[in-house]
Amino acid sequence: MTHEHYRTWEAHDRHRLIDVMTSGGVAPEVAARDAQRAQRALLPDGPSTPGMAFHRLLHHGTSVGTLWLRLDGAPRPEADAWVYAVEVGAEHRGNGHGRTLMRAAENVCLLAGRRALGLNVHTGNTPARALYASLGFRPAEHVLTKPLL
């Protein structure tokens, strides 16, 4: 992923995170602040942040998906590498691109000497959950939340 592609990806990822938070009941202004804070904390040097890997998947010259991978640790003890984001454009879904991105993540991790890859998936994301299960991912934790009004 070039620096130019990274800037576009970063803005898109921040909006995606804001949408996830606001759908969970977080106020839009709080979600925007927290999303920007999270990106700055995890990616202080952008795409050059040590331990992070960014990839774009091209299919016949068209960008169809992106992958953000952490190779120097994970937020959960069960894994030593972590997929922070994998996304295939809506118009390109259902063509195996998510599987290709996840296989690429596995290969990058193996080449880096990592042996356990983790990720989070939202309960309602049935296609992603099915993909991850078909790739051998198994639940490690079940977290519940409730917005307090």
Side-chain angles (χ1 to χ4, degrees):
M1 184 181 289
T2 66
H3 282 278
E4 180 182 328
H5 293 126
Y6 174 82
R7 281 191 297 276
T8 301
W9 172 86
E10 179 185 37
H12 174 77
D13 188 67
R14 185 172 39 254
H15 288 287
R16 182 193 55 77
L17 183 55
I18 291 168
D19 289 344
V20 167
M21 288 191 281
T22 55
S23 70
V26 176
E29 62 278 359
V30 173
R33 181 197 67 217
D34 289 353
Q36 185 171 22
R37 199 176 281 166
Q39 278 186 329
R40 268 193 258 127
L42 286 168
L43 301 166
D45 297 322
S48 300
T49 300
M52 300 295 184
F54 294 89
H55 298 273
R56 270 175 65 221
L57 178 62
L58 300 176
H59 182 71
H60 299 296
T62 299
S63 180
V64 297
T66 55
L67 170 69
W68 169 18
L69 182 63
R70 182 174 182 172
L71 296 168
D72 68 347
R76 305 292 312 146
E78 304 86 21
D80 56 2
W82 198 260
V83 173
Y84 273 104
V86 61
E87 185 173 14
V88 173
E91 65 278 15
H92 302 289
R93 293 180 187 152
N95 295 306
H97 300 309
R99 181 173 300 278
T100 299
L101 285 165
M102 290 305 298
R103 290 289 189 210
E106 292 173 12
N107 289 334
V108 169
C109 288
L110 286 170
L111 288 171
R114 304 303 176 257
R115 295 292 173 246
L117 177 59
L119 55 80
N120 284 331
V121 61
H122 294 281
T123 303
N125 192 344
T126 304
R129 290 178 60 198
L131 169 63
Y132 301 142
S134 77
L135 290 169
F137 285 83
R138 298 292 172 251
E141 183 176 305
H142 187 80
V143 177
L144 303 174
T145 63
K146 176 184 177 182
L148 301 175
L149 304 176

